Amino acid sequence: MDKLRAMATFVRIVEGGSLTAAAAALDVSGPSVVRLLASLERSLDVRLLHRTTRRIALTDEGRDYLARCRRILAEVEEAEAAAGNRRGAARGELRITAPALFGRMHVAPLAAAFVARHDGVSIDLLFVDRVVNLLEEGLDAGVRIADLPDSSLVALPVGEVRRVVCASPRYLARAGTPKTPQELRAHPCIRFAGLGATHEWTFREAGRKLTVPVRGPLAGNHADALVEACAGGLGIGMFLSYQVAPLVAAGRLKLLLAEYWPPPVPVSIVYPHAKLLPARTRLFVDWLREQLPRRIAAVRHRARASAPSPGTS
């Protein structure tokens, strides 16, 4: 049990980002955490963490050991659950990540509903517009909106979203409505870095990829601020369909060039490979897998309904 305690402490240090945070989470003293970590490293004869006064970082050996610790601790939790005749019971903390705006719009409400159903579970949400390494940052699962490369993660598809072009009715009344992607060269474009390069947009024309260089007064990686600027009449934007769905429904944005939109982008739930997942992770992944497709399908339906027919403005 001492080794398991040391493993759990090591995992908490990584997840909390410091020895102090681990001590607070475990409700033990700081020196106790230091002693447990030192004892663990001595027993393994390897350094697991690089430590400075400001931060800690995993060594290569520590990164490999972290993944194994998580698997072992998950198996112990499952074994205890089975022995106590409570297999499937959910308890403990979950750390979940998702793209910032998608997380606030769709994952946060589902997380709130989940913890309301499972009072033994707490959820820590990390919403950022970057690809997060689940293992290195101590996360249990996440939502990815991208074509996923082969990796050590399990990926469960739950839907797809589109890259859409839009502008406010006020802007279009003032500057005119582009009929082809090439006409975007003459318009100020609001460029969301979450779609890749901010100096060009990708479309499909007659089944082929079409890349159009764009320019404009505003670019960045915070979709909500850029979408609001677009709705305010600053220019034409390309965003993911869920990011603009509320403003399209409210009439503040109008979808453009629907016949040229690129192929849809998959939405997936991802989590690390593990022989056994903690009950809380398994149940939350199942909850997302049940609920997210409905929400994503509703956004897709609204986008289709709001998109102009080919040849219309």
Side-chain angles (χ1 to χ4, degrees):
M1 297 301 293
D2 287 344
K3 179 61 71 70
L4 287 176
R5 182 185 176 199
M7 287 181 176
T9 300
F10 169 60
V11 171
R12 280 290 187 173
I13 292 170
V14 175
E15 291 178 349
S18 71
L19 279 71
T20 302
L26 295 168
D27 194 24
V28 298
S29 68
S32 294
V33 170
V34 173
R35 285 195 298 271
L36 277 169
L37 178 60
S39 175
L40 183 61
E41 289 182 326
R42 281 197 306 272
S43 70
L44 297 171
D45 193 26
V46 69
R47 180 174 289 277
L48 300 172
L49 297 169
H50 294 300
R51 301 187 288 280
T52 68
T53 56
R54 293 188 175 184
R55 64 187 296 270
I56 62 170
L58 285 164
T59 63
D60 290 341
E61 295 82 2
R63 188 173 295 107
D64 292 339
Y65 190 66
L66 176 65
R68 293 175 184 273
C69 284
R70 286 204 171 103
R71 286 197 295 269
I72 291 168
L73 293 170
E75 290 188 16
V76 169
E77 181 175 328
E78 289 290 321
E80 290 177 344
N85 196 29
R86 58 179 180 83
R87 185 173 181 83
R91 61 179 61 188
E93 183 183 63
L94 277 168
R95 301 192 70 232
I96 306 298
T97 185
L101 189 53
F102 186 90
R104 292 197 296 273
M105 293 173 67
H106 298 292
V107 178
L110 295 179
F114 184 83
V115 296
R117 293 181 172 209
H118 302 277
D119 57 9
V121 177
S122 63
I123 298 181
D124 183 5
L125 298 171
L126 175 65
F127 296 154
V128 290
D129 286 322
R130 62 180 173 86
V131 177
V132 177
N133 187 306
L134 300 188
L135 290 176
E136 289 187 3
E137 301 200 31
L139 294 155
D140 297 287
V143 176
R144 294 269 169 87
I145 303 177
D147 292 302
L148 297 177
D150 292 336
S151 72
S152 61
L153 300 177
V154 177
L156 304 175
V158 290
E160 57 188 26
V161 296
R162 304 296 301 248
R163 292 180 174 91
V164 301
V165 181
C166 58
S168 72
R170 182 174 63 180
Y171 174 84
L172 296 174
R174 181 177 77 245
T177 301
K179 299 297 192 293
T180 67
Q182 290 86 345
E183 293 181 28
L184 293 171
R185 298 168 187 255
H187 290 265
C189 293
I190 299 169
R191 295 155 295 138
F192 173 47
L195 296 179
T198 60
H199 62 279
E200 60 184 23
W201 289 347
T202 300
F203 297 89
R204 297 288 290 182
E205 185 177 33
R208 296 182 179 180
K209 181 178 178 179
L210 171 66
T211 300
V212 177
V214 293
R215 302 177 60 186
L218 194 63
N221 66 340
H222 287 283
D224 43 2
L226 299 177
V227 168
E228 190 60 39
C230 188
L234 188 62
I236 296 176
M238 176 181 272
F239 302 100
L240 292 168
S241 52
Y242 74 86
Q243 295 170 335
V244 300
L247 295 183
V248 171
R252 295 185 61 199
L253 285 174
K254 183 176 180 180
L255 299 177
L256 312 171
L257 303 172
E259 64 269 38
Y260 298 101
W261 291 347
V265 183
V267 182
S268 304
I269 303 167
V270 296
Y271 58 91
H273 278 284
K275 185 178 179 182
L276 291 171
L277 286 175
R280 60 182 179 273
T281 305
R282 184 179 64 251
L283 290 174
F284 187 68
V285 166
D286 289 345
W287 174 244
L288 290 182
R289 197 176 187 182
E290 175 189 344
Q291 298 295 324
L292 276 179
R294 303 173 188 175
R295 302 178 73 100
I296 295 168
V299 172
R300 185 170 65 247
H301 176 75
R302 288 196 296 270
R304 286 174 177 168
S306 303
S309 301
T312 65
S313 60

